[in-house]
Amino acid sequence: MLLENGPTAPARSDSRPWWIVALALPGFASLAMFAARHLPSTGFWYDESMQFWMSLGLDGVGPPRSPPGGFWAAIHHNAVANLDPGGFTLILRYWLRLGTGEMWQRILPFLFFATGLAGVGWIGWAQRRRRLFAAACCAVPALFPLVLDYATEVRAYSMEFAGVVLGCALLERFEARPAARTAVLAGTTIGFFLTSRYGFAIFAIAACLSVVVSAVRDRGAGSQVGRRHLFAFFVPVGLAGAAVAIFALWPQYQARMSYEGGVLIGYLAGVTTASKSIGEIAGMLAVNLLHPAGLPVTAAATLGAVTLLPQRLQTRLGLDPLARAIDHAGLAPFGLLCLIALAVTALLWRWHPWAITTKWSLWLQALSAVALVRLAAGLLANIEAVRSGAAVRDRAIAALTLIGVLALDLRLAFYQRPDWPTFVPALAYLERLAPPPDSVAMDVHSYPTIRYFYEYGAFTSSPLYPDRFRMPYWNGPRPLIGPQTRFLLTGLTLSAANRVFAPATITRDVSLPERLFRVDPPAIDQPHD
């Protein structure tokens, strides 16, 4: 719960304007440098380009120059071509009404990322009322490369990150100040972000269970969380969950998850417990719990488990001092949330991936960032409870925190996600070359991105598109590489391209830009995959 009147609240807050500016400037500068490195990227992944077309209510591999679909078309295409609930799809749909440029698309997920950073800082401020500590907390997500990698990807990842952070902050506020307003705010926020990704649904389940468990456990201690508060919290979460189930989960189960026994989601087999031995599961569990990215959640969950033990058992195990420290730091509710989150994740592991270093567990890394802040605040609260040497100790803590702020800001400023190659140089080369009709082919995984560049992106005024290209849309030209084809646009390696497009011969010409290959079509017009 919030420690506004507890031992971590200083007698006087750091309110001098120059101090605020001195802390804020490095943070904003590092965020601006991070944005300058990543927002201009035109290297769109296949999933990002498909996300663009879904938001327009179109099939990403549909015919060129198709008119955009309506609202329900966007929901339909999200259900049949995506494995996310679709909230980001609809937000991006209206965002694109203001512009469709490459950078403009990336600004939307970046705003969610920045919101998440501010949310972590808010949690730090709520715990200690120290601006220096809050500034350090804002930069804590820079410790998690996965969070930074997906900060500007035009998908729902950064929305999920922001949702976990804000969900933790508002849950804490609701439990500290039970009221209809805080209950509705927390429930509505969690319900809104429930539409981001299915990983967030696990967090939402854990949040709901932790609220109930805390209310029941604290009832004898005079808890102020009543039935009307629980009702106000659960209604928006329940409504959002029902909408996701009806308009996303069930259609996706029919169209993708259960198709031919799950062949379309076979790539998840390595990160679920399906068909795994006990030894394999134990090894995966150890990585998920003890990896640096997951260790803060594991530590917080362990503290939460301690608080659930009966007082007599705590005494017998010698855990009374630890239990008092947890209580002094106000960590019990958050520890319970982490414990339930891990338990629900384990129960759903058969179906939903749990791999702490992959995008499917990005929500857990967001929770880990919050856990790191909560653990640090709790540790400092207990250190400051010792009165001796307070002046020297406080100066040392301030110095270490300042070093941490600067180090994290520098990491954020100079972090660079490995670039995904872009088609822009290859398309610019073709503009200068002006090849004849049907002379340039593109593979199915490159088509949504190239189609975007010609219809909404940097090459919308090109006279080449679509006549000069052979495109793999439904009912498009067969075979894809015809007698007149001389170039291939693809993200495949040379060996993979030759394997896929045999009997045509694909060669790499060093004079051509990356992702553009030369083609020697087959002597006879033979079909290929």
Side-chain angles (χ1 to χ4, degrees):
M1 50 184 63
L2 293 174
L3 301 178
E4 295 171 358
N5 301 311
T8 61
R12 183 178 60 186
S13 116
D14 307 318
S15 57
R16 288 165 289 186
W18 67 267
W19 183 240
I20 299 173
V21 173
L23 286 175
L25 280 180
F28 283 121
S30 64
L31 189 61
M33 290 178 66
F34 178 85
R37 287 172 176 269
H38 295 86
L39 291 181
S41 172
T42 57
F44 289 103
W45 297 77
Y46 172 79
D47 287 353
E48 291 181 281
S49 297
M50 290 296 288
Q51 178 70 76
F52 174 87
W53 294 109
M54 280 186 282
S55 295
L56 291 185
L58 290 171
D59 184 350
V61 290
R65 303 293 189 193
S66 299
F71 177 85
W72 291 106
I75 291 179
H76 167 74
H77 284 290
N78 182 83
V80 300
N82 199 9
L83 283 177
D84 286 340
F88 185 81
T89 296
L90 296 179
I91 295 171
L92 180 61
R93 175 180 177 81
Y94 293 101
W95 183 260
L96 293 174
R97 294 189 176 184
L98 302 176
T100 58
E102 293 83 355
M103 184 180 293
W104 180 250
Q105 287 189 66
R106 296 202 182 279
I107 288 175
L108 177 60
F110 176 75
L111 291 177
F112 278 117
F113 169 69
T115 300
L117 298 185
V120 179
W122 178 24
I123 291 172
W125 169 252
Q127 294 304 307
R128 292 189 50 75
R129 288 293 193 267
R130 301 286 180 87
R131 288 184 171 84
L132 182 58
F133 183 75
C137 293
C138 283
V140 161
L143 292 171
F144 298 84
L146 193 70
V147 173
L148 300 183
D149 282 347
Y150 289 95
T152 58
E153 183 160 322
V154 191
R155 296 282 284 155
Y157 301 111
S158 60
M159 180 180 176
E160 180 184 44
F161 162 68
V164 171
V165 172
L166 294 181
C168 288
L170 292 172
L171 267 180
E172 188 175 354
R173 189 173 183 83
F174 167 51
E175 292 176 343
R177 300 177 180 176
R181 183 179 65 179
T182 56
V184 170
L185 181 60
T188 302
T189 300
I190 291 176
F192 171 75
F193 286 102
L194 190 57
T195 66
S196 60
R197 300 186 72 235
Y198 288 118
F200 186 86
I202 300 177
F203 172 80
I205 293 170
C208 292
L209 291 175
S210 70
V211 167
V212 172
V213 172
S214 295
V216 172
R217 186 183 61 177
D218 298 341
R219 181 174 296 175
S223 171
Q224 298 178 352
V225 178
R227 292 182 179 178
R228 63 188 184 92
H229 300 133
L230 295 177
F231 180 80
F233 174 79
F234 281 110
V235 166
V237 177
L239 291 176
V244 167
I246 294 170
F247 296 110
L249 182 59
W250 178 243
Q252 287 164 350
Y253 175 79
Q254 292 179 307
R256 296 179 64 82
M257 299 176 191
S258 63
Y259 179 78
E260 294 189 0
V263 65
L264 295 180
I265 56 172
Y267 59 90
L268 298 177
V271 287
T272 65
T273 57
S275 304
K276 300 289 193 308
S277 68
I278 294 178
E280 290 173 323
I281 294 173
M284 295 165 66
L285 181 63
V287 171
N288 284 323
L289 294 179
L290 302 179
H291 188 277
L295 195 56
V297 172
T298 303
T302 303
L303 298 181
V306 169
T307 65
L308 292 179
L309 297 176
Q311 179 66 47
R312 185 174 301 176
L313 184 57
Q314 290 180 4
T315 302
R316 181 176 300 176
L317 296 175
L319 296 176
D320 282 341
L322 178 60
R324 286 194 296 270
I326 295 170
D327 183 65
H328 180 74
L331 272 169
F334 181 76
L336 180 63
L337 171 66
C338 291
L339 179 64
I340 295 175
L342 291 180
V344 174
T345 301
L347 289 172
L348 297 177
W349 200 1
R350 170 66 176 78
W351 303 277
H352 189 278
W354 183 12
I356 193 64
T357 59
T358 69
K359 62 184 180 181
W360 298 291
S361 292
L362 189 144
W363 74 273
L364 269 171
Q365 292 212 13
L367 186 61
S368 208
V370 176
L372 198 57
V373 168
R374 294 301 315 272
L375 292 170
L379 178 63
L380 291 174
N382 281 279
I383 289 175
E384 290 174 349
V386 180
R387 301 299 180 185
S388 61
V392 175
R393 179 201 62 210
D394 289 347
R395 285 195 294 270
I397 290 174
L400 290 174
T401 305
L402 182 59
I403 293 171
V405 170
L406 296 177
L408 291 172
D409 283 346
L410 287 172
R411 173 172 170 78
L412 179 64
F414 293 102
Y415 186 84
Q416 179 64 60
R417 179 186 185 179
D419 279 333
W420 183 250
T422 175
F423 281 104
V424 168
L427 301 184
Y429 176 87
L430 292 174
E431 289 295 310
R432 296 190 299 270
L433 183 65
D438 277 354
S439 61
V440 184
M442 61 187 77
D443 76 313
V444 67
H445 291 101
S446 305
Y447 172 56
T449 302
I450 297 170
R451 179 186 173 196
Y452 158 74
F453 282 125
Y454 279 113
E455 296 188 20
Y456 291 93
F459 297 89
T460 51
S461 60
S462 171
L464 305 183
Y465 182 86
D467 296 337
R468 313 297 173 90
F469 296 92
R470 292 178 69 84
M471 294 170 282
Y473 56 88
W474 306 117
N475 300 321
R478 298 291 187 275
L480 185 61
I481 293 180
Q484 292 81 32
T485 307
R486 295 295 180 268
F487 296 98
L488 173 66
L489 287 161
T490 180
L492 297 172
T493 63
L494 181 60
S495 59
N498 275 291
R499 184 172 63 253
V500 169
F501 295 105
T505 301
I506 315 297
T507 58
R508 182 78 177 96
D509 185 337
V510 294
S511 67
L512 297 180
E514 191 176 14
R515 293 198 157 195
L516 183 63
F517 296 85
R518 290 201 184 276
V519 175
D520 289 328
I524 302 175
D525 198 17
Q526 302 179 48
H528 53 73
D529 185 3

